[in-house]
Amino acid sequence: MSRSEVKTRLERLELPFNAYGVDPYGVSRWHLGVVYEALNFFYRHYFRVRCHGIEHVPTRGRGMLVGNHSGGVAVDGMMVIASCFLEGQTPRLAQGMAEKFVNATPLASIWSSRCGQFPGLPENATRLLEEDRLLLVFPEGARGTAKLYPQRYDLVDFGTGFMRLALKTRTPIIPFGFLGGGAAIPTVANLYGLGRMLGMPYVPVTPYLLPLPLPVPLELHYSEPMVFEGTGNEEDSVIQGYVEQVKARIADIIDRRRNERWQAAVTP
């Protein structure tokens, strides 16, 4: 996709920008343009992302993208955001809940907020969904990106807040599986002490020391939306049961695609 095509899709992005190119949340059309130009390069050429099932992402209205986390650094989040803008019939801004350390870093905080990635507070997420935005959620949190290379396809425990939020706001959940993040940044250790000194959860270490992503192919698979009935005030056991259903769907996506890749590799 050329620069002009990115610009055209940016003009089609259905956000209520004012005369200065800023929406009510402070999201800036100019900042988005700079970031989408960069994401287009990494998405199309560096990682050569293969996206499947983008038709399951709603072209309008509220939706919650829920998937697995891996890779030391949130490459998966950036590629999901890129896919919703570059691949969909209607370009959309997927808005995530950024980790606290991002918002504590001056430059990163400004760019994060200008591109629609806000502090992970329930009130922010609720407001976005009630205004029919597209929310990106990784229920594994920082524990997901902390997975070491051998565990890159495992799923750690999911938080339950996303499910209560989906029920409260009557939002469909679109599960997705992301493959390749653990190979792009093959983490062999995490330095938690250094991370605390820097105000981060940890600092990932790769075989080549720095957590810089390798140009490996990535895959993104969206599944059919899941809709759950309730108010968000259900008993913990009910909520946990719903969460396990979403987790099982994501695990199935990952396992199925891994098996397909293995069979393709061994078939002459």
Side-chain angles (χ1 to χ4, degrees):
M1 182 176 290
S2 67
R3 176 173 296 182
S4 62
E5 290 173 311
V6 171
K7 182 179 179 181
T8 298
R9 291 189 75 82
L10 184 59
E11 292 172 350
R12 292 176 54 206
L13 196 61
E14 296 181 0
L15 292 179
F17 293 118
N18 62 19
Y20 300 98
V22 179
D23 86 343
Y25 290 90
V27 178
S28 161
R29 180 190 281 122
W30 183 85
H31 286 81
L32 286 176
V34 173
V35 168
Y36 282 136
E37 287 284 355
L39 288 180
N40 180 51
F41 166 76
F42 283 101
Y43 186 91
R44 299 292 188 196
H45 306 291
Y46 193 82
F47 294 120
R48 307 181 301 284
V49 178
R50 287 180 287 179
C51 179
H52 305 271
I54 192 65
E55 66 274 10
H56 297 308
V57 177
T59 57
R60 289 181 177 83
R62 68 192 65 177
M64 185 183 293
L65 309 175
V66 179
N68 61 302
H69 225 0
S70 64
V73 178
V75 169
D76 43 18
M78 290 184 283
M79 294 303 102
V80 170
I81 291 170
S83 74
C84 291
F85 178 79
L86 298 171
E87 300 278 12
Q89 180 180 357
T90 300
R92 295 205 66 179
L93 171 63
Q95 297 182 245
M97 299 289 101
E99 293 286 346
K100 293 180 180 178
F101 77 88
V102 173
N103 295 283
T105 307
L107 184 60
S109 175
I110 293 173
W111 277 88
S112 178
S113 62
R114 290 291 182 266
C115 294
Q117 313 306 310
F118 300 121
L121 302 174
E123 53 266 33
N124 289 340
T126 300
R127 182 183 172 195
L128 288 170
L129 291 174
E130 288 180 342
E131 296 190 9
D132 288 336
R133 302 281 185 126
L134 191 62
L135 189 68
L136 170 60
V137 178
F138 291 103
E140 295 174 286
R143 296 169 300 157
T145 52
K147 284 179 278 194
L148 302 183
Y149 182 77
Q151 290 82 44
R152 62 194 182 281
Y153 292 121
D154 295 343
L155 297 179
V156 299
D157 290 340
F158 277 27
T160 58
F162 79 94
M163 181 57 69
R164 291 192 183 277
L165 178 63
L167 292 170
K168 177 183 177 182
T169 57
R170 304 175 303 284
T171 299
I173 292 173
I174 301 92
F176 67 85
F178 189 86
L179 291 87
I185 302 180
T187 304
V188 296
N190 291 306
L191 304 180
Y192 291 95
L194 180 59
R196 285 192 295 270
M197 292 173 59
L198 298 174
M200 304 166 61
Y202 57 87
V203 174
V205 179
T206 64
Y208 45 92
L209 299 182
L210 298 177
L212 299 176
L214 301 173
V216 302
L218 304 178
E219 293 186 33
L220 178 56
H221 297 258
Y222 292 105
S223 183
E224 297 84 359
M226 303 176 73
V227 178
F228 298 91
E229 299 295 332
T231 65
N233 296 318
E234 286 74 15
E235 295 288 336
D236 289 346
S237 59
V238 175
I239 297 296
Q240 189 63 48
Y242 290 161
V243 169
E244 290 302 321
Q245 291 183 49
V246 176
K247 184 177 180 180
R249 175 75 68 85
I250 295 169
D252 179 66
I253 296 170
I254 295 171
D255 291 342
R256 180 158 31 90
R257 183 54 193 147
R258 288 181 67 193
N259 289 335
E260 289 172 355
R261 292 167 67 179
W262 181 83
Q263 290 174 4
V266 300
T267 301

